[in-house]
Amino acid sequence: MALKHEPTAPYHSAQDALRVLETVARHSTGVTDAELARQTGLGTERLTALLRMLRREGYVEQVADGAYVTGDALTRLSSAREHQQALRDQLQRALDRLRDSIGAAIYVSRYVDGEVTIAQYADSPASPAVNEWFDFRSSAHATALGKSLLGQLDHNGRRDHLSRHKMARLTSRTITSDRLLLSRLESQPPTVPHLDLQEYAVGTVCAAVPITAGSSVGCLALSLPVSHAHRLRQAADALNRNAAPVLLSLVI
């Protein structure tokens, strides 16, 4: 299966963050921000924003003299015995922060072996998750996260998926024409979030943005009750702007 996706802003942010982490890791006694800028080639404003994010996520720490050293989160991830659990914990903390800052349920979805999967999610009583009343694996045509994942496949990959999953009408807004869906997926710019405006479930709206690196297809999504539909575009933009920590926890 070939992929169609293009690198997005979160991908570039995660790649830059990895460069910073690799540089910090090479300096066991610490490295200053001026030296980081010189060695990574990143501008001051860009580096400052990345260091702020990396400190918040626990990947780096700033010691008394102002130098940066490896943080506890990166130390935990370097332990082979605890690596997988540490990754899940780190990802969950990133999702929880997004849930609280955006005010929506947040999901990480992956396309694995030809199927849509929900890897992890963060919800709360104030931001409840979508009720999976119809199997997400068979409703990619109707969900924002499903459309985001399909949008990252090539034409044959999309047709293969739709040949295995009938496009059921879940609400009056659900697209059931494969020709129409494929046309919309083809014309969707990679930087524009995919939306679900009550296509999967009446009373719920969703948005999804790609978080893809290499050959892995994934996306970050959010859901809101329809009474908050006026916040959807703003929430989707915030999701895209703040996706880098989630992507970083997946590729580190």
Side-chain angles (χ1 to χ4, degrees), residues 34-176:
E35 188 62 18
L36 279 170
R38 188 184 70 80
Q39 294 191 27
T40 61
L42 295 169
T44 302
E45 185 176 346
R46 177 69 166 163
L47 179 61
T48 299
L50 288 170
L51 285 170
R52 186 183 305 118
M53 182 268 284
L54 291 171
R55 288 179 65 187
R56 185 180 68 241
E57 299 296 319
Y59 289 123
V60 301
E61 296 175 5
Q62 196 170 19
V63 292
D65 64 357
Y68 290 90
V69 297
T70 298
D72 288 342
L74 200 61
T75 301
R76 287 195 299 272
L77 289 173
S78 66
S79 168
R81 183 171 60 84
E82 302 175 0
H83 185 71
Q84 287 305 315
Q85 187 58 50
L87 277 178
R88 289 189 63 83
D89 292 346
Q90 188 71 14
L91 177 56
Q92 194 61 50
R93 284 190 290 270
L95 296 179
D96 289 347
R97 276 192 286 270
L98 277 176
R99 175 201 61 204
D100 295 340
S101 64
I102 296 177
I106 307 292
Y107 315 78
V108 170
S109 182
R110 310 289 289 274
Y111 196 72
V112 180
D113 296 330
E115 299 294 349
V116 173
T117 64
I118 306 295
Q120 284 179 239
Y121 67 94
D123 66 345
S124 70
S127 302
V130 174
N131 173 38
E132 188 180 357
W133 73 275
F134 192 90
D135 194 334
F136 284 140
R137 291 174 299 179
S138 299
S139 54
H141 64 292
T143 63
L145 60 86
K147 287 184 280 187
S148 180
L149 296 175
L150 292 179
Q152 296 172 61
L153 307 181
D154 65 4
H155 184 76
N156 290 335
R158 295 168 188 165
R159 280 208 167 276
D160 172 71
H161 183 92
L162 296 178
S163 71
R164 292 182 286 108
H165 297 284
K166 178 178 170 57
M167 296 174 61
R169 183 174 297 281
L170 306 181
T171 76
S172 62
R173 294 173 176 263
T174 306
I175 296 174
T176 56

Side-chain angles (χ1 to χ4, degrees), residues 222-245:
L222 64 82
S223 65
L224 291 167
V226 71
S227 58
H228 287 234
H230 61 283
R231 292 203 296 119
L232 185 61
R233 294 282 183 178
Q234 183 179 5
D237 289 342
L239 190 72
N240 198 34
R241 285 196 310 272
N242 296 284

